[in-house]
Amino acid sequence: MLLIGTKTSVNIIMNRPQQLTFPWSKPNKSNFNEYYFDDVNKELQKKILEHEDIVLYGIRKIGKTYLLQALCNYYADKNKTSLFIPLAEVSSFDTSIFDSIENMDIICIDDVDAIKGIHEWEVALFNLINNSLISGCRLVFGSSQNPTSINFSLSDLDSRIRKINSTEVLPINNANLQEAVKKISQLRSIRLGEKELNYLITYTERSMDNLIDILNKLDDLSIEQKRKITIPLIKEII
């Protein structure tokens, strides 16, 4: 694994070169098996696993970050180098973190719209795209806006982003939320009864991002307190 330091000069430590991670990023086990692709997102699943550059866009908290992290893990599992960059988090750092990373197999850049209007980051991203075209590195972006409506200040960057194929990550149909949460909890060996599942769906924000976050907290709390997941326990979380 490669670690990029947070100082202005980039420190790279090579150990197991499957995946680059940032020190401020929490380790994740995101994988496609634990993401619920309902009918509206079936084509999305195919496009993500193709080898072309792509922009995934959609409303916030819909699962774009999870998909990008899962894609990095997918490449790492195949002994390919991958890097996940959360631009909204790192834009306060020096753009030198983009230096010489274009030799990765894939770079997933989240919140690409977050650097709109920040000249040095727009230039750095434009240069990374050009360098990746030469090296053959695949780039996958996440954005809360349709790439055709971001309107970067740097016209060359705006043009490049618009030319990349894009696909929208659509919300899971409300009718499928219960099935999705049930599937994910079973895959993670989280014991969730029907009453508890119904309560969770009824009294929390109806988004997969929020529901998965609550599931993780419930699992941790139930293990920590050695308690079953019950409605009273759910109330402590929400």
Side-chain angles (χ1 to χ4, degrees), residues 8-230:
T8 301
S9 59
V10 180
N11 302 312
I12 300 180
I13 304 171
M14 180 176 289
N15 182 10
R16 183 172 174 266
Q18 270 75 31
Q19 185 174 358
L20 276 170
T21 55
F22 289 94
W24 56 84
S25 298
K26 295 180 180 178
N28 73 84
K29 297 180 180 179
S30 305
N31 67 83
F32 294 122
N33 290 331
E34 293 187 8
Y35 188 89
Y36 186 83
F37 291 94
D38 63 358
D39 291 341
V40 296
N41 285 318
K42 285 299 182 185
E43 286 301 311
L44 168 67
Q45 186 176 14
K46 295 177 183 177
K47 290 178 180 178
I48 289 175
L49 295 178
E50 291 174 353
H51 299 292
E52 301 298 319
D53 294 350
I54 191 172
V55 180
L56 305 180
Y57 70 93
I59 60 175
R60 293 188 179 279
K61 295 187 176 181
I62 203 170
K64 300 184 299 294
T65 298
Y66 188 94
L67 288 171
L68 294 180
Q69 291 175 337
L71 186 58
C72 281
N73 290 336
Y74 176 82
Y75 270 68
D77 288 343
K78 294 183 176 298
N79 292 319
K80 294 185 177 181
T81 52
S82 62
L83 169 61
F84 172 75
I85 302 178
L87 268 189
E89 296 180 35
V90 307
S91 58
S92 60
F93 292 87
D94 192 275
T95 58
S96 59
I97 64 172
F98 274 2
D99 291 350
S100 304
I101 61 173
E102 66 275 0
N103 291 317
M104 307 292 293
D105 290 304
I106 187 171
I107 301 173
C108 293
I109 301 177
D110 202 8
D111 298 314
V112 68
D113 48 325
I115 62 163
K116 174 185 174 181
I118 307 176
H119 179 71
E120 61 270 25
W121 275 102
E122 290 194 5
V123 171
L125 181 59
F126 177 69
N127 289 335
L128 176 61
I129 293 173
N130 285 341
N131 292 338
S132 296
L133 284 171
I134 295 170
S135 67
C137 173
R138 184 187 181 196
L139 297 177
V140 179
F141 300 95
S143 172
S144 294
Q145 299 181 58
N146 186 314
T148 61
S149 62
I150 297 175
N151 296 318
F152 289 104
S153 300
L154 185 66
S155 58
D156 286 339
L157 173 62
D158 199 59
S159 175
R160 280 292 170 86
I161 292 292
R162 288 170 184 262
K163 288 178 181 177
I164 298 173
N165 290 331
S166 62
T167 189
E168 184 175 6
V169 183
L170 296 167
I172 290 176
N173 190 308
N174 279 342
N176 294 332
L177 271 177
Q178 188 163 335
E179 181 187 344
V181 174
K182 183 182 291 187
K183 175 189 173 184
I184 292 168
S185 61
Q186 288 173 346
L187 285 168
R188 297 185 180 188
S189 300
I190 299 173
R191 295 183 178 179
L192 196 63
E194 288 295 327
K195 288 191 300 183
E196 289 73 26
L197 177 58
N198 290 332
Y199 187 90
L200 194 59
I201 296 293
T202 303
Y203 293 101
T204 60
E205 180 186 336
R206 297 171 72 84
S207 74
M208 281 309 300
D209 184 84
N210 182 64
L211 288 166
I212 289 174
D213 182 55
I214 291 173
L215 272 181
N216 290 334
K217 290 177 180 177
L218 281 172
D219 190 35
D220 291 341
L221 188 59
S222 67
I223 292 171
E224 178 186 330
Q225 298 186 2
K226 297 180 180 179
R227 294 167 58 189
K228 292 181 179 180
I229 296 178
T230 60

